């Protein structure tokens, strides 16, 4: 699982009234405006076809590098590795990639449904409990293999339904009629786990510090 969040700093302007001016009339406090990654900011979510993904590879690679927050190395080796992984995932049956955009690309998420057999289980062997295996056999399990969003999506309004990451992951599940999303995260990648859990993901049943399966990965799941 890859969750990229931008490390770009934000700026804040503090505006005050001129010295000597009269204070404004007192008003009853109204509802506070929603802030953060709200659809009111004009972010439109839509899927790309496989042909459109090929046409937008340059932009998707740029988005990956920008939201990774790394230096020149990210713009070269890591970016190229991301595009290779994306191309491999795009060949899987049922693969879908969603983008969020305003006047430019602002985020993306992608994944694919899995069945009870076939070649798409590589990497999941030994990690999935029986309940998820049964869901896979019924065609209602979906792997989300990447979410790439700006850092404010992780820091602000994580529990809001209109948080961009939540919108993207929910849309993927809805489009495929999936009951549960699943992903693997490197055990040492605490940053990704923290972001996913803030967006509603949880550890798979029975995964506690004492009972977690051995290995380099942990399983996180997301219910619809």
């Amino acid at each position: 699982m890859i969750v990229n969040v931008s490390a770009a700093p934000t700026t804040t302007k503090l505006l005050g009234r001129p010295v000597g001016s009269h204070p404004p009339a007192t008003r009853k406090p109204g509802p506070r405006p929603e802030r953060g990654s709200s659809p009111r900011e004009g972010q439109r979510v839509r899927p790309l076809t496989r042909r459109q993904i090929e046409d937008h590879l340059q932009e998707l690679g740029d988005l990956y590098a920008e939201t990774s927050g790394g230096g020149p190395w990210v713009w070269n080796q890591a970016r190229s590795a991301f595009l290779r992984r994306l191309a491999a995932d795009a060949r899987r049956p049922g693969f879908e990639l969603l983008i969020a955009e305003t006047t430019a690309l602002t985020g993306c998420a992608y994944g694919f449904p899995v069945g009870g057999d076939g070649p798409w289980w590589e990497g999941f062997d030994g990690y999935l409990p029986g309940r998820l295996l049964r869901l896979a056999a019924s065609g209602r399990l979906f792997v989300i293999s990447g979410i790439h969003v700006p850092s404010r999506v992780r820091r602000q309004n994580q529990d809001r339904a209109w948080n961009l990451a939540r919108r993207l992951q929910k849309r993927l599940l809805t489009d495929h009629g999936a009951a549960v999303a699943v992903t693997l995260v490197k055990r040492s990648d605490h940053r990704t786990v923290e972001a996913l859990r803030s967006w509603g993901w949880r550890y798979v049943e029975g995964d506690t510090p004492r009972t977690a399966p051995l290995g380099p990965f942990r399983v996180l799941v997301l219910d619809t």
Side-chain angles (χ1 to χ4, degrees), residues 149-165:
V149 290
S151 61
R152 70 178 184 278
V153 179
R154 179 172 58 90
R155 297 194 315 266
Q156 301 173 5
N157 304 298
Q158 302 99 317
D159 59 342
R160 298 284 186 140
W162 45 256
N163 177 278
L164 182 57

Side-chain angles (χ1 to χ4, degrees), residues 37-220:
S37 305
S38 166
R40 293 177 180 81
E41 294 182 347
Q43 289 170 326
R44 182 170 66 113
V45 172
R46 66 182 177 93
L48 295 184
T49 65
R50 291 188 182 183
R51 179 60 182 272
Q52 289 172 326
I53 292 173
E54 294 175 1
D55 293 340
H56 288 77
L57 282 179
Q58 179 74 28
E59 296 168 74
L60 291 167
D62 291 347
L63 175 69
Y64 172 81
E66 290 166 4
T67 55
S68 293
W73 184 85
V74 172
W75 284 91
N76 295 296
Q77 293 174 289
R79 183 180 185 276
S80 298
F82 159 73
L83 291 176
R84 287 195 298 271
R85 291 191 301 268
L86 180 61
D89 276 354
R91 291 193 291 269
R92 301 179 190 272
F95 175 83
E96 181 173 353
L97 183 144
L98 298 174
I99 62 169
E101 58 186 353
T102 51
T103 56
L105 194 62
T106 60
C108 74
Y110 49 90
F112 49 91
V114 291
D117 53 14
W120 314 128
W121 282 106
E122 182 179 359
F124 285 90
D125 297 343
Y127 288 97
L128 297 183
R131 184 178 79 89
L132 295 185
L133 293 173
R134 289 190 292 272
L135 276 175
S138 66
R140 302 193 66 199
L141 185 65
F142 192 87
V143 172
I144 294 182
S145 50
I147 302 175
H148 309 291
V149 290
S151 61
R152 70 178 184 278
V153 179
R154 179 172 58 90
R155 297 194 315 266
Q156 301 173 5
N157 304 298
Q158 302 99 317
D159 59 342
R160 298 284 186 140
W162 45 256
N163 177 278
L164 182 57
R166 284 182 176 261
R167 292 178 64 203
L168 289 166
Q169 63 194 26
K170 181 177 181 180
R171 173 72 179 271
L172 283 173
L173 294 183
T174 301
D175 285 356
H176 291 267
V180 174
V182 62
T183 194
L184 288 178
V185 183
K186 288 184 179 180
R187 191 173 294 275
S188 60
D189 191 351
H190 304 297
R191 186 166 175 256
T192 292
V193 170
E194 180 184 1
L196 289 171
R197 286 174 63 82
S198 75
W199 300 326
W201 292 73
R202 58 182 174 80
Y203 293 123
V204 74
E205 296 91 337
D207 185 351
T208 68
R210 291 186 177 182
T211 63
L214 297 178
F217 297 103
R218 299 191 75 169
V219 179
L220 274 80

